[in-house]
Amino acid sequence: MMNLKGNPEVSDRNLMIPLVNYGIQCMSMGFLVEETAPVVWRGLMVMSAIERLLRQVDWGELDYLVIDMPPGTGDVQLSISQNIPVSGAVIVSTPQDIALLDARRGAEMFHKVNVPVLGLVQNMSVFRCPKCDHQTHIFGEDGAKQLAATMGLDILGDIPLHINIRETCDLGKPVVVSNPESSEAKAYVAIALEIIKRISK
């Protein structure tokens, strides 16, 4: 999605140097393994990998460190919440019931480990036809909003299901860079600004 691949270089201090594109430093397990190799790690292996990505990378001065985690309440989430100070968690879910179950578990887990949940993002909230602009709620309507209401959380915003997002991601040119004036890009920017506002409090 960021049009980055390859092994990171190592600094004089024996720290990995993040790969950079669009002014954003990135580090991923995907940079450290073969492109088609599965990453099937549990327990101590996961914690070791997280430690490496956090503390053996030459991050320098950062405005924000965003960690993209898999859904659920497994070793990754627990290791991060217990080993580094986390300003807040953002739960991302499609509106369908099965996805919302994971979203609820994730939010409950962060509450239990005293990580503030900044809110929910409803992903793929509506399909907008690129030809006629007709809207269809493929995954259901307002599921995340209903979950947020029951848990006392806020909706940070909605991301539509749009071919423009998929195509630009596949090209490694995020829609906020390649088409910043589009409604899809503006949805991402609005969510980012809302998150920044909440962290600043």
Side-chain angles (χ1 to χ4, degrees), residues 92-161:
V92 181
S93 179
T94 59
Q96 66 192 116
D97 291 346
I98 193 72
L100 291 168
L101 288 173
D102 269 343
R104 176 183 281 277
R105 290 189 190 106
E108 294 286 3
M109 186 214 72
F110 284 118
H111 282 310
K112 285 185 179 178
V113 294
N114 298 314
V115 172
V117 177
L118 303 176
L120 276 71
V121 172
Q122 190 163 242
N123 194 23
M124 297 188 254
S125 58
V126 63
F127 171 72
R128 285 207 311 267
C129 176
K131 293 184 178 179
C132 69
D133 217 32
H134 177 73
Q135 297 191 358
T136 305
H137 297 276
I138 294 174
F139 295 106
E141 188 172 0
D142 293 337
K145 291 179 181 176
Q146 293 166 13
L147 174 61
T150 62
M151 298 191 73
L153 298 172
D154 295 326
I155 289 289
L156 301 173
D158 290 0
I159 300 295
L161 177 61

Side-chain angles (χ1 to χ4, degrees), residues 4 28 57 101 123-124 137 155 175 188 193 196:
L4 293 170
S28 168
V57 174
L101 288 173
N123 194 23
M124 297 188 254
H137 297 276
I155 289 289
V175 70
Y188 281 106
L193 291 173
I196 290 169

Side-chain angles (χ1 to χ4, degrees), residues 43-104:
L44 292 174
M45 293 177 73
V46 172
M47 287 183 270
S48 174
I50 291 168
E51 183 74 15
R52 189 176 179 196
L53 291 175
L54 290 172
R55 307 199 191 280
Q56 295 179 26
V57 174
D58 190 2
W59 289 113
E61 291 291 324
L62 295 175
D63 297 315
Y64 303 96
L65 177 63
V66 179
I67 302 175
D68 182 19
M69 292 188 282
T73 55
D75 296 326
V76 175
Q77 291 85 352
L78 284 171
S79 294
I80 288 174
S81 61
Q82 292 172 349
N83 286 292
I84 62 169
V86 180
S87 300
V90 175
I91 308 295
V92 181
S93 179
T94 59
Q96 66 192 116
D97 291 346
I98 193 72
L100 291 168
L101 288 173
D102 269 343
R104 176 183 281 277

